[in-house]
Amino acid sequence: MIDAMNAERALFNDPDALERARLRALDDIKAGRTVPHADVTAWLKSWGTADEKPMPPEWLK
């Protein structure tokens, strides 16, 4: 019996969705639409603290 609470779910149900996402990601990298690792790390380290930061909106541009 499969434990539905712990069953691993596919991120992409459409077989071509993973490839489309990969190509979009490569386009973003080529266009410079990236966030430095250190910035993401600093944001994540704020989670669960009294000084928790929201995700910078410019990261979604």
Side-chain angles (χ1 to χ4, degrees):
M1 179 176 200
I2 296 176
D3 178 358
M5 293 296 290
N6 295 312
E8 188 172 323
R9 289 182 262 164
L11 182 60
F12 298 100
N13 292 323
D14 173 355
D16 297 319
L18 178 61
E19 180 63 10
R20 288 193 307 272
R22 186 184 75 80
L23 293 172
R24 277 194 312 271
L26 290 173
D27 287 342
D28 285 340
I29 292 167
K30 288 177 189 172
R33 292 184 296 264
T34 62
V35 178
H37 182 266
D39 294 352
V40 176
T41 300
W43 172 62
L44 290 173
K45 284 183 176 182
S46 80
W47 287 16
T49 69
D51 193 31
E52 186 170 321
K53 306 279 190 254
M55 183 181 69
E58 63 269 15
W59 289 4
L60 295 176
K61 291 181 181 177

